[in-house]
Amino acid sequence: MKHTLYLKLLLGYIIFGILGFVTVSTITSHMTLDYIKKETISNLYRESKLLAGNYASNYYRGSLTLDDVKSHFQAVTAYLDADIWVIDRNGRILINTRPDSVSDTTVQDFDISTFGTRYYQEGTFFDVFSEQTLSVFSPITIDYKVRGYVLIHRPISDLVSYKDGLLNISYMTLAIIFFCAFIVLGLFTFTVYLPIRKMTRAAENYSEGNFDTKINIHTNDEMGYLADSINYMATELSSLEEDQRKFIANVSHDFRSPLTSIKGYIEAIMDGTIPHEMQDKYLNIILFETERLNKLTQSMLELNKYGIKGSMMDITDFDINHTIKMVVQSFEGTCKKKKISFELILTGITCIVSADMSKIQQVIYNLIDNAIKFSHPDSTITIETTEKNEKVFISVKDTGIGIPKDSIKKIWERFYKTDLSRGKDKRGTGLGLAIVKEIISSHNENINVISTEGVGTEFIFTLPMAQKENEL
């Protein structure tokens, strides 16, 4: 069995982890650093503007000394963790809160126009710093004239360190997500993948004809329902396979017996074993067996009409009481031989039903024929019709040998015969009740049987009453 599904899940899990790591280390890292830079630039510019307007400008006006301004700037330096300068237009550094950061007091080639339209730049600030630095400036304006600039410098490495700290949080979050995904993968393995493997193995056994394999999954979810459905399917397939074997065995048995008789008698006639004066007797036996084969074939063809789609129904309204009487009359000769009588308990003068009359005639004929076969001599067959809830209940009851309890559910199967019927009825095909069942089912009605061995059997089926037209 190829574990392609699970390999795909594992591969997807690994790819998810790799893509997550690559995304955080590249895209997220770049976006985070850009965001930190923008926020830092905005904050530094706001501070530089505040220092230029409130402190540095007062120095140029003479209201504050250079030392006073420098002391205020140093307090801000400790808060911002950045270098703060006051520089004039010629590049001379007037105030430097961290004098050890640069050795020169004048910035060579200083030109504020290099900032362009922006109020910040990244670099070494005219080669003053040895590392990449973020520099933000605000002009010191007195009487609409620029006297100098407040500059705030902060190393890019500080921002990168801050970014790395945030990324470490992202990596930890990704690791937690990856671990949670691993738990989900484990749950998926136990709740989905392993049950699917069990079902796949069972399906492979079923394809080889081994229907004894059961799927032991007992959960109240779709997997449990699917496992129960497959187990039920396997049981039905096993039963169907057994039915097919029985069907073939029964067909072979019911065809082989008359064919053997016919073959034997014909050979005996041809080789002279049977004298000429006795040939008529054995020809009649051959004719009887031939009719038996013809009846069996016709019954199989009749039963074959009722498939999944059913057969064409000619639904008409007719009097079921009259139909019963006519069918009963056709058994007059047979009943006289066995001294069997009929008791008809029919509701009303007429009882109109809506059904296929020819097929219902066949149902009644098969049920009566079945009752006569298994009734004792000098017994009575009772046929009764009853109206109830827009239905007509038709009952055919005999006082014959009855049906064994373990055979009641099997009597509707094709070619099925109880051991009692095999001993008593040599002419039956075992298809009569199967045809009855199919005809009643094609009418969307029900048929039931009540039987006690040694007491008798009663078949009861329903038909819909015909709809009465409203009288004007």
Side-chain angles (χ1 to χ4, degrees):
M1 175 180 165
K2 296 181 180 179
H3 298 171
T4 55
L5 177 62
Y6 199 64
L7 288 177
K8 289 177 182 178
L9 290 174
L10 288 176
L11 181 61
Y13 177 76
I14 294 172
I15 291 175
F16 167 75
I18 294 173
L19 290 179
F21 176 80
V22 171
T23 301
V24 171
S25 60
T26 55
I27 299 175
T28 304
S29 176
H30 179 74
M31 293 177 64
T32 301
L33 184 59
D34 285 346
Y35 177 78
I36 292 173
K37 285 181 179 180
K38 290 179 182 179
E39 287 296 309
T40 303
I41 290 169
S42 178
N43 292 334
L44 294 181
Y45 177 72
R46 185 169 58 251
E47 292 294 335
S48 67
K49 190 175 181 181
L50 181 63
L51 294 174
N54 293 344
Y55 296 100
S57 60
N58 288 335
Y59 163 72
Y60 279 99
R61 290 190 182 98
S63 58
L64 288 175
T65 65
L66 192 62
D67 291 336
D68 293 334
V69 175
K70 187 174 182 179
S71 64
H72 285 291
F73 279 19
Q74 285 176 336
V76 177
T77 294
Y79 170 70
L80 295 177
D81 191 23
D83 293 355
I84 301 177
W85 291 0
V86 175
I87 188 171
D88 63 15
R89 291 185 300 174
N90 296 321
R92 188 166 60 92
I93 301 173
L94 303 177
I95 296 176
N96 182 359
T97 58
R98 291 179 178 175
D100 57 337
S101 61
V102 293
S103 58
D104 296 333
T105 58
T106 301
V107 177
Q108 300 297 325
D109 300 324
F110 174 73
D111 185 5
I112 201 67
S113 64
T114 59
F115 281 75
T117 59
R118 301 181 300 176
Y119 50 86
Y120 69 94
Q121 68 172 208
E122 296 180 36
T124 58
F125 195 72
F126 302 100
D127 297 326
V128 173
F129 300 103
S130 60
E131 62 177 329
Q132 293 292 309
T133 304
L134 181 65
S135 302
V136 178
F137 83 94
S138 288
I140 303 171
T141 306
I142 305 296
D143 296 330
Y144 302 104
K145 292 182 179 180
V146 176
R147 297 295 186 91
Y149 306 95
V150 172
L151 285 158
I152 301 179
H153 306 284
R154 188 168 184 184
I156 296 294
S157 60
D158 290 351
L159 305 184
V160 172
S161 297
Y162 183 59
K163 180 262 296 182
D164 290 340
L166 294 178
L167 281 185
N168 288 334
I169 297 175
S170 299
Y171 286 127
M172 289 296 296
T173 304
L174 181 63
I176 294 172
I177 294 174
F178 195 67
F179 179 73
C180 292
F182 181 77
I183 294 175
V184 172
L185 179 64
L187 291 174
F188 181 85
T189 300
F190 286 101
T191 60
V192 178
Y193 176 69
L194 291 180
I196 288 178
R197 283 188 62 186
K198 290 182 180 179
M199 295 182 208
T200 303
R201 288 172 180 169
E204 290 175 352
N205 290 332
Y206 299 158
S207 66
E208 295 172 358
N210 180 16
F211 299 107
D212 295 331
T213 303
K214 298 299 179 184
I215 305 173
N216 295 319
I217 299 175
H218 307 287
T219 56
N220 295 323
D221 55 12
E222 287 79 0
M223 283 296 172
Y225 178 77
L226 180 59
D228 291 340
S229 299
I230 293 177
N231 285 333
Y232 176 77
M233 178 193 71
T235 302
E236 291 298 310
L237 288 175
S238 178
S239 176
L240 179 60
E241 188 178 40
E242 181 64 23
D243 290 343
Q244 288 178 339
R245 285 196 293 265
K246 289 181 179 179
F247 178 83
I248 294 172
N250 288 330
V251 170
S252 300
H253 176 272
D254 286 346
F255 271 88
R256 183 174 61 247
S257 296
L259 287 174
T260 300
S261 298
I262 293 172
K263 180 176 180 293
Y265 289 134
I266 291 177
E267 289 176 347
I269 292 174
M270 292 180 66
D271 62 17
T273 303
I274 298 176
H276 181 74
E277 60 272 12
M278 296 186 65
Q279 288 182 2
D280 288 343
K281 173 185 175 182
Y282 291 100
L283 286 174
N284 286 329
I285 294 175
I286 292 173
L287 179 61
F288 171 81
E289 295 292 355
T290 304
E291 290 176 349
R292 181 180 166 193
L293 284 174
N294 182 62
K295 182 180 179 181
L296 180 61
T297 304
Q298 290 297 326
S299 296
M300 291 179 63
L301 292 173
E302 179 69 25
L303 193 57
N304 193 51
K305 295 178 183 178
Y306 303 95
I308 296 176
K309 297 181 180 179
S311 60
M312 295 298 292
M313 307 294 290
D314 182 17
I315 304 298
T316 58
D317 295 345
F318 62 94
D319 182 8
I320 189 64
N321 289 348
H322 177 71
T323 301
I324 291 172
K325 293 175 183 177
M326 295 301 296
V327 175
V328 167
Q329 289 179 8
S330 65
F331 287 95
E332 183 177 352
T334 305
C335 290
K336 282 184 177 180
K337 292 180 181 179
K338 294 189 67 174
K339 298 181 181 180
I340 294 175
S341 61
F342 287 96
E343 180 181 4
L344 304 182
I345 307 175
L346 308 177
T347 179
I349 300 174
T350 60
C351 182
I352 308 301
V353 297
S354 181
D356 188 316
M357 186 172 69
S358 63
K359 289 182 171 57
I360 297 304
Q361 283 178 335
Q362 185 176 5
V363 168
I364 298 171
Y365 183 92
N366 286 359
L367 291 179
I368 294 176
D369 184 55
N370 201 67
I372 293 173
K373 289 175 184 176
F374 304 113
S375 290
H376 302 295
D378 295 317
S379 62
T380 301
I381 297 174
T382 303
I383 303 176
E384 182 178 358
T385 59
T386 307
E387 295 180 6
K388 185 178 182 180
N389 298 328
E390 302 299 322
K391 297 282 187 181
V392 176
F393 291 76
I394 299 97
S395 166
V396 178
K397 182 178 180 180
D398 64 62
T399 57
I401 61 177
I403 302 172
K405 186 176 181 180
D406 58 351
S407 298
I408 289 180
K409 292 183 178 180
K410 301 178 182 179
I411 61 173
W412 311 111
E413 298 176 5
R414 302 181 182 190
F415 291 101
Y416 180 79
K417 295 181 181 181
T418 66
D419 293 336
L420 293 176
S421 69
R422 287 196 179 275
K424 190 173 183 68
D425 176 32
K426 297 295 186 181
R427 301 179 59 184
T429 63
L431 295 175
L433 291 180
I435 293 173
V436 167
K437 180 70 173 179
E438 294 291 346
I439 291 175
I440 297 301
S441 296
S442 66
H443 282 78
N444 294 321
E445 296 296 330
N446 299 311
I447 182 168
N448 297 308
V449 59
I450 303 170
S451 183
T452 302
E453 193 172 353
V455 176
T457 303
E458 180 180 14
F459 288 91
I460 305 171
F461 66 93
T462 60
L463 291 176
M465 293 182 63
Q467 298 294 324
K468 296 180 180 179
E469 295 182 1
N470 294 328
E471 296 181 0
L472 298 176

